[in-house]
Amino acid sequence: MSEHPQTLLTVTGLTRHFGRVVGCEDVGFDLWPGEVLGVVGESGSGKTTLLNCLSGILEPTAGTVSYTDRTGQVQDLYAISEPRRRFLMRTDWGMVHQNPRDGVRMRVSAGANIGERLMAVGARRYGDIRAEAGAWMERVEMDLDRMDDMPRTFSGGMLQRLQIARNLVSKPRLVFMDEPTGGLDVSVQARLLDLLRRLVTDLGLAAVVVTHDLAVVRLLAHRLAVMRRGRVVETGLTDQVLDDPQHPYTQLLVSSVLQT
Amino acid sequence: MASDPLIEVRGLVKSFTLHTQGGVVLPVLDGVDLSVEGGECVVLDGPSGSGKSTLLRSLYANYKPQGGSIRVRHRGTVVDLVSASPHRVLDVRKHTIGYVSQFLRAIPRVPALDVVAEPLRMLGVPAEAAAAKAAALLDRLRVPEPMRSLAPATFSGGEQQRVNIARSFVVDYPILLLDEPTAALDAENRATVVQIIREAIARGAAVVGIFHDAEVRDSVGDRIYRLTGYTAAA
């Protein structure tokens, strides 16, 4: 008797080949509303390919991604039309890229970056949009007086916060994150992680977070999938997988973390 | 008043295979049976390495047993933690089982008050009510007000442990698992924690704990479950 009998995302047999090269192979899992799934593994293990297939960016060679929309209808991501898929991606999903420059429009101001997403889901009044953009800047701990500044004048940590605000302002139900704290200073990382953690809890977001950083998933993810050579070799509760890893590769991964 | 147990462990088997060290297998638990009813406190006892922590962690599904069952009563149903899906276990942890570990896994930058209030927030309790209950518990545990707005990462061992205890007792969980909850505490705080544990037992919680302090063990424990260790039993 679960609170959420219906999954948000159901993935079965998801496979993507690049010619003879395996990107990901036979990946399956369920994700419920409010749940964060971490995907870990070394570089080249297929994490990003999987994320791209899940988020509608890259058509899989085989397998299905089913998403339950706000009305309770189950949408087969790669069976629905392209415009319909784009609509879902814009209204229901967010995507936080490792490099914020991939997710932020560098040629428009910070405020416009956030406001643009609101307009995409129907907001029209300038005053409302600006107020909401400002509220989100505060929520991700950006100075309001930077609202009209161009993103190229921002630090990496600020750019990442802007990307997060831009994603969350339209109230998505599911957010995909690719190494959201990669390439940032440790102090900035901690701040960002705390921010993400709070937002995910407060908004009841579901998320798939891809990272090679086990500390990130320990803090953010409820459940974990460990990938190696395109396949998921182990899944479970995050603390169980990290504290009692079963698969030889997971044991290697966990034991390779430097203790501080 | 005999009632159905809240926890029923049958034939629990747990070993560790160390793949990075030549595949050495360490057998720890072999056929553990244990029932715990509401309103009683079972003390896990046995020499170092006998599997006390392994059993306790298995009861929280932090460790993954190879065989047997751990059936817990959860919101009117019975869930076997050994075979339940992670999604289900998360629900059991949210509503039914509280766990006090030896150390607080501090989250950077989150104030102590929020750390303690979080389990209530996850159950949908409004922010003010959750904060009020968290503050009352921190009061009892003598974590002074100015510290509550600070992240516990900089606290002393004893202060962190009290935050940890408050976090696990802020919700009236039907089942409580305690791993050395008083290890880092002074006498006064130890007495308070004993009182809080006794109150939990009195309201009908099933408590399983590891207590090295004999005084604490005697004042909260109803019976002792002795682990002999796999090799000794074999």
Side-chain angles (χ1 to χ4, degrees), chain B residues 9 12 19 69 73 148 201-202:
Chain B
V9 180
L12 197 69
H19 292 288
S69 61
R73 276 235 299 272
R148 294 176 199 166
I201 298 166

Side-chain angles (χ1 to χ4, degrees), chain A residues 1-3 32 35 141 190-191 194 197 218-219 222-223 236-237 239-240 243-244 246 248 251-252, chain B residues 14 16-19 61-64 77 86-90 93-95 105 107-110 118:
Chain A
M1 246 183 292
S2 169
E3 271 182 61
W32 280 266
E35 250 182 19
E141 302 171 13
R191 199 170 159 193
D194 170 35
R197 195 173 177 280
R218 172 82 82 172
L219 280 181
H222 301 108
R223 290 160 48 206
L237 292 171
D239 61 272
Q240 182 262 300
D243 294 341
D244 186 18
Q246 310 289 311
Q251 291 192 358
L252 184 68
Chain B
K14 174 63 189 162
F16 295 90
T17 305
L18 309 180
H19 292 288
N62 175 234
Y63 281 179
K64 193 182 175 120
T77 63
H87 177 67
R88 199 75 198 279
V89 174
L90 286 169
R93 286 182 177 181
K94 186 167 147 189
H95 294 275
R105 204 174 270 284
I107 304 149
R109 297 208 324 141
V110 178
E118 191 182 30

Side-chain angles (χ1 to χ4, degrees), chain B residues 147-171:
Chain B
M147 292 184 73
R148 294 176 199 166
S149 56
L150 305 175
T154 54
F155 292 9
S156 74
E159 287 158 352
Q160 287 198 11
Q161 184 61 325
R162 279 177 277 150
V163 170
N164 205 11
I165 289 165
R167 181 180 159 89
S168 303
F169 280 87
V170 78
V171 172

